[in-house]
Amino acid sequence: MGTINDIFLFVLNMSLTATLVAVIVVSIRLLLLKRLPKFYVCFLWWILLFRLISPVSMTNNFSLMNIAKPAMEEDISISYLHDNISTIPLTKMVFDSDISNDSVTSASHTINNADSDWNFNILLIASIVWVLGIVFLVVYNMISYIRTLSQIRTATICRIPIINDIKRVLKIKRDIKIYETDMIDSPFVCGILTPKIYIPARIDKRQLPYILTHECIHIKRKDYIIKPFSYLLLIMHWFNPLVWVAIKLFNQDIEMACDEKVISISGENTIKEYSHTLLSFGIKKNVSFFGLYPSFGKSHLAVRINHILKLRKRPTYEKILVAIFVAGIGFCLVTNPSISQAKKITQDWKGGHTQWSDINEDYFYKGSKVEALGVEEPKYDNPVSMNVISKDYDVDNHVGIDILAYEGEMITAAESGRISFVGEEGSFKCLIKIDHGNGYETWYGNCKEVKVKETQEIVKGEPIAVIGTEGTGPHLHFSIIHKGEFLNPKEYMDVEFQ
């Protein structure tokens, strides 16, 4: 079940980024509704679609994602929630001063284990609900799609000469077939590989040029692909209400952008007649397929007509300024923050050593956080027999110490606890993490022949693995972490290192 949790967290991180993009685009849309042509607004919505499917992007110091100050990973992806979220303790305990340190550590360790299991269960339930929601929406829309196909299966192809003139004006080279049926009340485009235009039977011939021009613009702009794709992303992010709002507005802007193009081709003197055409189809019952395909008079009728009536010819300088503005905002939305500007310091594995991509001296915890609980600072044993450091803490951003060891030597647990992780991470082919309670962890890198497994209880001095020979030869990479912050191991060990 770990895989489904990881996928859900991956989608959740993308959804949080997309939420910020959606808020910014909606704000721009509201503030500059009359100034921005809808084609440019659609460009900003395409960035939202990108954010809904990809956490990775190039970095930029002026990225608007800096507003949220997310953590940045080495692969230039944004992260708000991390893979080890299920190990974050929910419980905070306060102990009386007369309780022994061993009792405090044991009790805290037990509580943290229970909290970790509880967090994991919550995440698992959320992941299952997310999958069930996707299944429901997919089934619902498959049924709706099949119903639509059944309505148009009796449609007959019709020859309309004016389509050739429209294709020439729009510079469309592909063949476009037009089908007529009495089973629908509003025109729309259907088909992914070969889009076709479906129109109602007995349509008013005076309205036909507007209708076909509108639908051909959809075909030229590939809206018959973009709309279903946007809805697939909506299904993946169904739990986010802002994504529902954003996709609805995006579909509305797609239709309004086509309306603008029709008026620019036919002339401003046709605005009233085009509005009447929209109204005549908008008041009728439409085929129900959840807006998957571009439709002439399907939705947002009042908003579209009001927008059309306010259309005006824009001077060239205004078009240039709007294009520059949208391009600038788009660039700042599509890029991620620089790693150096990320709020949290993120891990960068190089040469078998743990380093940080960004140095923030205030971030590294130097004191004891357990003093508030009346508990002495923990002291850890040396996991190996030698006391020679080959690479010290905070040298070249090193967040642990490398202790020389004999080849084949056994690594022992520096303190009692529970094995929280065993496996490959970053450049370490084998890394072992031990949770000691109270938020303390020790990490053992450069291991082989592991003797323990995850969730296993371990006693101080018990063998956990054999020294590996990666990187600079036989040595142990040893780190001490307290609540996600790296400590200087030498200050927490009863060892005189050379």
Side-chain angles (χ1 to χ4, degrees):
M1 286 295 184
T3 301
I4 187 176
N5 289 355
D6 294 339
I7 295 174
F8 178 61
L9 283 175
F10 180 76
V11 172
L12 191 55
N13 275 312
M14 291 192 296
S15 198
L16 290 172
T17 302
T19 296
L20 179 57
V21 174
V23 169
I24 293 173
V25 174
V26 170
S27 300
I28 292 173
R29 189 179 182 276
L30 291 174
L31 294 173
L32 302 174
L33 182 61
K34 296 180 181 179
R35 291 286 181 183
L36 286 180
K38 291 306 173 183
F39 176 78
Y40 292 109
V41 180
C42 288
F43 171 76
L44 296 179
W45 286 128
W46 295 337
I47 295 174
L48 173 73
L49 300 187
F50 170 76
R51 286 299 190 180
L52 287 171
I53 199 172
S54 174
V56 179
S57 182
M58 57 184 174
T59 59
N60 167 31
N61 289 336
F62 300 101
S63 171
L64 289 175
M65 297 301 104
N66 281 317
I67 295 173
K69 297 187 181 298
M72 288 295 301
E73 306 296 344
E74 177 62 18
D75 60 358
I76 323 179
S77 64
I78 287 180
S79 179
Y80 302 88
L81 303 173
H82 300 281
D83 296 339
N84 61 348
I85 187 172
S86 62
T87 65
I88 300 174
L90 293 173
T91 309
K92 294 183 179 179
M93 300 183 64
V94 178
F95 301 95
D96 295 330
S97 59
D98 59 345
I99 300 179
S100 67
N101 295 345
D102 291 340
S103 298
V104 169
T105 301
S106 176
S108 177
H109 179 63
T110 301
I111 293 296
N112 285 344
N113 286 345
D115 286 341
S116 177
D117 293 339
W118 177 249
N119 285 1
F120 180 83
N121 289 336
I122 292 177
L123 183 60
L124 179 60
I125 292 172
S127 302
I128 293 173
V129 171
W130 170 64
V131 171
L132 291 177
I134 290 177
V135 172
F136 169 78
L137 290 172
V138 169
V139 171
Y140 179 90
N141 282 278
M142 286 299 296
I143 295 173
S144 182
Y145 177 69
I146 292 172
R147 185 183 297 119
T148 301
L149 292 181
S150 67
Q151 288 179 300
I152 62 176
R153 64 185 178 86
T154 57
T156 57
I157 193 169
C158 54
R159 308 289 180 183
I160 303 178
I162 195 176
I163 190 66
N164 295 321
D165 297 328
I166 295 172
K167 286 170 55 180
R168 184 170 56 255
V169 171
L170 294 174
K171 298 180 180 179
I172 298 175
K173 295 182 179 180
R174 72 183 306 159
D175 183 39
I176 298 178
K177 290 184 171 59
I178 304 171
Y179 290 83
E180 186 180 50
T181 175
D182 58 0
M183 297 297 293
I184 61 174
D185 295 311
S186 181
F188 63 90
V189 176
C190 184
I192 300 297
L193 298 178
T194 55
K196 308 174 187 66
I197 298 176
Y198 290 87
I199 61 175
R202 295 176 296 278
I203 196 169
D204 189 338
K205 302 303 180 183
R206 294 173 298 177
Q207 298 174 339
L208 204 53
Y210 301 118
I211 294 170
L212 294 181
T213 302
H214 183 98
E215 302 306 336
C216 283
I217 293 171
H218 278 309
I219 293 175
K220 181 176 177 62
R221 293 177 174 177
K222 303 293 189 291
D223 292 338
Y224 59 91
I225 296 176
I226 294 173
K227 276 200 169 188
F229 177 68
S230 69
Y231 195 73
L232 287 176
L233 293 181
L234 174 60
I235 290 176
M236 185 168 68
H237 297 267
W238 66 264
F239 54 87
N240 189 336
L242 271 177
V243 175
W244 285 86
V245 173
I247 297 300
K248 177 182 178 181
L249 293 176
F250 175 47
N251 287 330
Q252 176 180 319
D253 288 340
I254 285 177
E255 296 300 331
M256 293 167 73
C258 286
D259 294 337
E260 291 175 347
K261 186 65 175 177
V262 172
I263 297 301
S264 70
I265 293 173
S266 59
E268 293 183 11
N269 60 323
T270 62
I271 287 178
K272 185 177 293 187
E273 190 174 350
Y274 183 73
S275 299
H276 283 304
T277 303
L278 271 180
L279 186 62
S280 67
F281 286 100
I283 61 176
K284 299 177 182 179
K285 184 179 178 181
N286 297 288
V287 177
S288 175
F289 45 87
F290 239 171
L292 283 176
Y293 295 110
S295 174
F296 178 75
K298 183 178 182 298
S299 58
H300 325 294
L301 185 62
V303 177
R304 289 173 62 185
I305 292 178
N306 185 55
H307 178 70
I308 292 169
L309 294 176
K310 294 180 180 180
L311 284 178
R312 62 180 179 82
K313 189 174 182 179
R314 302 175 186 274
T316 303
Y317 78 89
E318 184 176 327
K319 294 179 181 179
I320 294 174
L321 290 176
V322 168
I324 293 173
F325 171 77
V326 171
I329 293 294
F331 181 71
C332 294
L333 286 176
V334 80
T335 52
N336 288 342
S338 302
I339 295 180
S340 60
Q341 290 187 322
K343 178 181 179 181
K344 293 185 178 180
I345 300 170
T346 55
Q347 213 164 358
D348 173 29
W349 303 88
K350 293 181 179 177
H353 302 300
T354 308
Q355 299 180 335
W356 292 109
S357 298
D358 181 38
I359 301 302
N360 181 350
E361 293 297 334
D362 295 333
Y363 183 83
F364 295 115
Y365 176 66
K366 303 296 184 182
S368 172
K369 293 192 175 181
V370 294
E371 290 175 355
L373 299 177
V375 182
E376 295 180 0
E377 290 184 356
K379 291 296 182 181
Y380 297 96
D381 287 351
N382 189 351
V384 294
S385 60
M386 298 180 68
N387 61 349
V388 179
I389 293 178
S390 60
K391 188 168 185 179
D392 208 344
Y393 175 80
D394 210 15
V395 173
D396 296 330
N397 308 336
H398 197 223
V399 293
I401 56 176
D402 287 352
I403 311 172
L404 292 181
Y406 296 105
E407 186 171 356
E409 181 178 355
M410 196 68 67
I411 304 170
T412 59
E415 181 56 83
S416 300
R418 179 178 62 90
I419 306 296
S420 59
F421 177 83
V422 177
E424 182 175 355
E425 186 166 317
S427 296
F428 285 113
K429 293 182 180 178
C430 181
L431 179 69
I432 299 175
K433 301 179 184 180
I434 302 180
D435 179 6
H436 303 290
N438 274 342
Y440 283 90
E441 274 191 331
T442 51
W443 291 9
Y444 308 78
N446 194 26
C447 308
K448 66 180 182 180
E449 299 180 24
V450 177
K451 310 296 181 183
V452 293
K453 59 183 179 179
E454 290 184 12
T455 72
Q456 176 182 333
E457 299 292 333
I458 197 79
V459 178
K460 179 192 290 189
E462 186 176 344
I464 59 174
V466 174
I467 283 291
T469 57
E470 299 175 21
T472 57
H475 71 277
L476 171 70
H477 174 88
F478 183 65
S479 294
I480 299 176
I481 297 91
H482 182 258
K483 295 184 178 179
E485 299 175 349
F486 283 88
L487 312 176
N488 186 344
K490 293 183 296 183
E491 297 179 5
Y492 293 81
M493 300 175 71
D494 285 325
V495 181
E496 292 186 5
F497 284 105
Q498 300 178 11

